[in-house]
């Protein structure tokens, strides 16, 4: 399980003590829920006196994040009185509904007695054993916060075993603080940092039948629950959707367990993001900052009320600009948790509400949106990381409404042979580059019409040169916030980019769905 033990020590874990008093922890949790299950009511289940109103908005939102489970085998952990069990049973082939409180399971069975595809189990999830490769989705809503870290890790490993390849785990937890307002005589709940859950999910692996491969979880989506932000001003209700995938044993070629780890610990570390922002301008981490954003967005003819998907949104600059200037709504996604966390803070700074900009830590190649969800899909210097661009662009086409538009800027390469230095750079970064011409052809192959594929390396060079001037102008201030090493990294990096422009091009692309 990698170095998860070391990580947890920094987050308040007490491995030896947890092992010694595990029985006491389970007893405390049992007593806690015995106190809050006397009536097996919705208020008890959600630990909130406003549960009836909350669930009207929260339940459909949670369901909207799930992958398709029609005709699938589902395991629901911590099923409680069955408010989600019903919804799962309507579409699923089978549902195993598990809870360790007999009163909750009895209420669930009573509520859902008309469904013949539900297997009700009164069981402690820390001791639950199911067949390997027996389900397609493991669903839990408020569960791991009632377990010790070692119990969480053990459960995650068993979930990985239970799932078929390509199957999903969905989890929702209260992080940092209590959310429900129901009074409690004691509260043994673990309100963890969501980063700890993310680390436990992504660092866990199990063997496959091949020595050079392992199974692990790869993130599809993580975000705060919007209904809790709007109704309770609570950003600490967090969901995760992860998929069981194969990957190379050891790492993915970058020296990190997953590509997301690579982004958050190397290319887009928090320090790296903030030093980029210092040069690009507040809320921006893309070439040209506000200037190129204004030029590019002007091509989209945005109208109030339209919905934009910003793929690789960074820390939100383009999204905030589109919202404030054109009155659109933006779903802003990025695979880097660091980017999204900073973006959420910047949203408060600029006054962008959850209704205006919704941030998601998400993998665009795995995320599912309903067909015709968006009027515009916008992406800045992100798709260079994705090998199968055609598959992604077909998804873009499906997600766009008829008449919708796609706009992309991206790192590209020149046609023909490239220098060995450039090849090494591309390999080290894990980029997958196409020439602007070929990029446009792939958009057309995905179904887009009126495709414009432009080589705008001239604008790229102009922006870099301007940013070098900016860097020198803010050097004193920059060094107060960062280091000389950081400053040198920016200056040398920008000069290297200028030196690579024979091989590295910058493309700007536009297409329409007719």
């Amino acid at each position: 399980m990698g170095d998860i033990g070391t990580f947890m020590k920094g987050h308040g874990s007490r491995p030896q003590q947890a092992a010694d008093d595990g029985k006491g922890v389970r007893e405390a949790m049992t007593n806690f829920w015995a106190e809050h299950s006397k009536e097996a009511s919705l208020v008890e289940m959600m630990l909130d006196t406003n549960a009836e109103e909350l669930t009207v908005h929260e339940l459909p939102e949670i369901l909207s994040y799930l992958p398709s489970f029609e005709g699938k085998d589902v395991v629901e952990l911590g099923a409680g009185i069955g408010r989600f069990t019903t919804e799962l049973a309507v579409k699923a082939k089978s549902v195993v509904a598990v809870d360790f409180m007999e009163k909750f399971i009895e209420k669930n069975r009573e509520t859902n007695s008309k469904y013949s595809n539900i297997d009700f189990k009164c069981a402690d999830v820390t001791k639950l054993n199911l067949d390997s490769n027996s389900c397609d989705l493991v669903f839990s809503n408020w569960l791991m916060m009632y377990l010790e870290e070692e119990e969480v890790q053990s459960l995650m490993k068993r979930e990985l075993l239970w799932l078929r390849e390509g199957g999903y785990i969905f989890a929702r937890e209260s992080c940092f603080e209590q959310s429900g307002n129901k009074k409690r005589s004691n509260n043994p709940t673990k309100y963890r940092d969501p980063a700890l859950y993310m680390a436990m999910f992504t660092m866990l692996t199990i063997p496959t039948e091949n020595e050079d491969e392992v199974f692990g979880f790869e993130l599809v989506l993580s975000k705060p629950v919007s209904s809790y932000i709007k109704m309770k001003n609570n950003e600490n209700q967090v969901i995760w959707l992860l998929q069981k995938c194969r990957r190379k044993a050891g790492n993915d070629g970058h020296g990190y367990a997953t590509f997301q780890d690579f982004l958050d610990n190397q290319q887009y570390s928090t320090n790296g993001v903030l030093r980029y922002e210092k040069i690009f301008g507040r809320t921006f981490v893309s070439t040209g900052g506000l200037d190129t954003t204004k030029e590019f967005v002007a091509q989209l003819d945005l109208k109030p009320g339209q919905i934009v998907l910003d793929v690789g949104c960074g820390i939100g600059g383009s999204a905030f600009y589109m919202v404030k200037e054109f009155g659109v709504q933006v779903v802003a996604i990025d695979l880097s948790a660091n980017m999204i966390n900073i973006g959420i803070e910047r949203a408060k700074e600029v006054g962008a509400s959850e209704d205006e900009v919704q941030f998601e830590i998400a993998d665009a190649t795995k995320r599912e949106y309903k067909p015709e969800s968006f009027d515009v899909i916008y992406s800045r210097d992100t798709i260079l990381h994705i090998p199968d661009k055609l598959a992604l662009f077909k998804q873009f086409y499906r997600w766009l409404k008829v008449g919708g538009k796609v706009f992309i800027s991206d790192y590209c390469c020149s046609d023909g042979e490239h220098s060995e230095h450039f090849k090494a750079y591309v390999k080290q970064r894990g980029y997958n580059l196409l020439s602007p011409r070929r990029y446009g052809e792939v958009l057309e192959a995905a179904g887009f019409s009126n495709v414009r594929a432009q080589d705008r390396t001239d604008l790229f060079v102009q922006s870099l040169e301007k940013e070098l001037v900016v860097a020198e102008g803010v050097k004193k201030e920059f060094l107060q916030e960062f280091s000389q090493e950081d400053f040198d990294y920016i200056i040398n990096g920008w000069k290297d980019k200028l030196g690579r422009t024979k091989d590295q091009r910058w493309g700007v692309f536009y297409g329409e769905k007719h």
Side-chain angles (χ1 to χ4, degrees):
M1 295 183 64
D3 198 30
I4 189 67
T6 301
F7 182 93
M8 291 198 318
K9 287 176 185 176
H11 284 71
S13 176
R14 303 180 304 280
Q16 187 57 51
Q17 183 180 340
D20 293 341
D21 64 9
K23 184 177 179 181
V25 170
R26 302 309 315 138
E27 184 177 339
M29 290 300 178
T30 301
N31 292 339
F32 176 77
W33 279 109
E35 179 186 348
H36 297 286
S37 62
K38 294 175 182 177
E39 299 175 8
S41 67
L42 186 63
V43 168
E44 287 182 318
M45 188 76 255
M46 297 182 70
L47 296 170
D48 200 300
T49 58
N50 299 315
E52 294 286 351
E53 181 183 1
L54 277 168
T55 200
V56 169
H57 302 279
E58 174 251 20
L59 187 143
E61 180 188 352
I62 295 298
L63 292 172
S64 74
Y65 300 133
L66 298 183
S68 174
F69 54 89
E70 188 167 356
K72 304 288 188 180
D73 296 308
V74 178
V75 174
E76 183 187 10
L77 303 179
I81 62 174
R83 68 191 188 104
F84 286 103
T85 310
T86 307
E87 304 293 336
L88 296 170
V90 169
K91 294 182 180 179
K93 176 184 176 183
S94 70
V95 178
V96 179
V98 183
D99 201 280
F100 81 137
M101 297 307 298
E102 184 66 43
K103 283 196 175 182
F104 283 159
I105 282 292
E106 286 176 2
K107 181 71 172 181
N108 197 339
R109 185 182 286 110
E110 176 187 332
T111 301
N112 292 299
S113 59
K114 67 179 179 179
Y115 297 105
S116 60
N117 61 339
I118 306 174
D119 178 12
F120 298 97
K121 289 183 181 293
C122 185
D124 185 337
V125 296
T126 65
K127 299 170 184 167
L128 181 67
N129 288 306
L130 302 174
D131 291 339
S132 297
N133 303 307
S134 62
C135 64
D136 304 289
L137 170 65
V138 178
F139 175 91
S140 67
N141 186 70
W142 290 317
L143 172 71
M144 294 183 292
M145 56 203 247
Y146 301 117
L147 307 178
E148 290 289 280
E149 272 89 351
E150 291 74 18
E151 294 171 332
V152 173
Q153 292 177 79
S154 174
L155 176 62
M156 286 180 179
K157 185 172 184 178
R158 281 178 286 130
E159 289 174 330
L160 194 54
L161 288 165
W162 299 339
L163 282 169
R164 298 180 179 116
E165 184 173 354
Y168 296 88
I169 180 174
F170 177 91
R172 179 268 194 90
E173 301 295 335
S174 300
C175 296
F176 292 123
E177 62 184 8
Q178 176 180 317
S179 61
N181 63 5
K182 192 169 184 289
K183 291 183 178 179
R184 309 160 203 204
S185 59
N186 63 37
N187 189 359
T189 312
K190 312 291 184 182
Y191 300 112
R192 300 182 175 98
D193 184 332
L196 177 55
Y197 287 118
M198 186 78 83
M200 287 193 282
F201 279 128
T202 57
M203 295 175 73
L204 173 67
T205 61
I206 60 173
T208 70
E209 71 281 5
N210 299 322
E211 289 185 3
D212 61 342
E213 291 182 324
V214 293
F215 283 123
F217 287 124
E218 292 191 6
L219 182 72
V220 177
L221 166 68
S222 180
K223 69 182 296 292
V225 177
S226 296
S227 52
Y228 268 66
I229 296 175
K230 295 173 185 176
M231 299 178 71
K232 295 175 74 71
N233 195 29
N234 183 338
E235 299 174 343
N236 298 317
Q237 289 291 311
V238 181
I239 66 102
W240 294 266
L241 178 66
L242 301 105
Q243 186 175 31
K244 178 178 178 177
C245 297
R246 289 176 184 262
R247 58 175 181 254
K248 291 181 180 178
N251 58 67
D252 67 351
H254 301 289
Y256 293 91
T258 66
F259 184 61
Q260 186 194 12
D261 291 337
F262 167 69
L263 292 179
D264 279 335
N265 290 287
Q266 182 169 318
Q267 191 164 3
Y268 300 127
S269 66
T270 299
N271 184 71
V273 172
L274 294 176
R275 66 189 180 189
Y276 283 151
E277 181 189 33
K278 195 69 179 178
I279 306 304
F280 288 128
R282 195 71 170 173
T283 76
F284 288 95
V285 288
S286 55
T287 299
L290 181 59
D291 291 343
T292 52
T293 298
K294 286 181 175 179
E295 178 178 335
F296 295 157
V297 171
Q299 302 177 37
L300 300 175
D301 192 28
L302 294 175
K303 299 289 193 299
Q306 288 187 322
I307 302 175
V308 178
L309 176 64
D310 187 349
V311 177
C313 63
I315 58 175
S318 293
F320 303 146
Y321 173 75
M322 288 187 273
V323 163
K324 296 303 180 186
E325 294 298 320
F326 299 96
V328 300
Q329 296 173 282
V330 180
V331 176
I333 72 173
D334 203 291
L335 188 54
S336 167
N338 294 334
M339 290 280 199
I340 294 298
N341 291 336
I342 295 170
I344 290 171
E345 290 303 311
R346 295 294 181 268
K348 297 173 188 174
E349 182 181 305
V350 303
S353 71
E354 172 75 7
D355 286 329
E356 293 172 319
V357 182
Q358 286 194 26
F359 283 101
E360 299 181 358
I361 306 169
D363 185 336
T365 67
K366 298 180 183 297
R367 182 73 167 97
E368 295 182 13
Y369 297 103
K370 292 180 181 178
E372 301 189 11
S373 292
F374 303 104
D375 298 283
V376 170
I377 295 179
Y378 178 91
S379 180
R380 295 293 306 276
D381 306 341
T382 295
I383 298 170
L384 69 163
H385 294 295
I386 298 170
D388 193 348
K389 293 176 174 54
L390 178 58
L392 180 64
F393 293 160
K394 285 181 177 179
Q395 286 285 73
F396 285 1
Y397 190 86
R398 189 172 68 88
W399 296 339
L400 278 171
K401 299 174 184 177
V402 175
K405 301 168 184 177
V406 61
F407 181 92
I408 300 166
S409 74
D410 212 1
Y411 282 21
C412 297
C413 61
S414 59
D415 285 307
E417 288 297 313
H418 304 126
S419 68
E420 292 303 316
H421 178 74
F422 182 67
K423 291 177 183 177
Y425 163 76
V426 170
K427 182 178 180 181
Q428 185 268 331
R429 288 298 184 105
Y431 291 165
N432 185 279
L433 305 183
L434 303 176
S435 69
R437 174 190 58 79
R438 178 61 187 138
Y439 211 112
E441 291 172 352
V442 176
L443 281 167
E444 289 175 342
F448 288 101
S449 306
N450 297 335
V451 171
R452 298 196 299 265
Q454 300 176 291
D455 185 332
R456 292 304 313 274
T457 310
D458 59 331
L459 179 58
F460 184 67
V461 169
Q462 177 185 326
S463 298
L464 289 172
E465 290 175 340
K466 180 179 178 180
E467 286 153 5
L468 281 171
V469 173
V470 169
E472 292 294 346
V474 300
K475 182 176 181 179
K476 183 177 180 180
E477 183 181 342
F478 187 101
L479 291 176
Q480 290 175 342
E481 297 180 37
F482 304 97
S483 67
Q484 182 67 49
E485 182 181 0
D486 288 317
F487 185 79
D488 293 341
Y489 176 89
I490 293 291
I491 297 297
N492 294 334
W494 264 235
K495 289 180 178 179
D496 286 345
K497 290 177 187 179
L498 287 169
R500 284 194 297 268
T501 52
K502 178 182 177 182
D503 291 318
Q504 181 175 314
R505 312 300 289 173
W506 199 52
V508 172
F509 309 95
Y510 172 91
E512 299 172 352
K513 177 177 179 177
H514 287 165

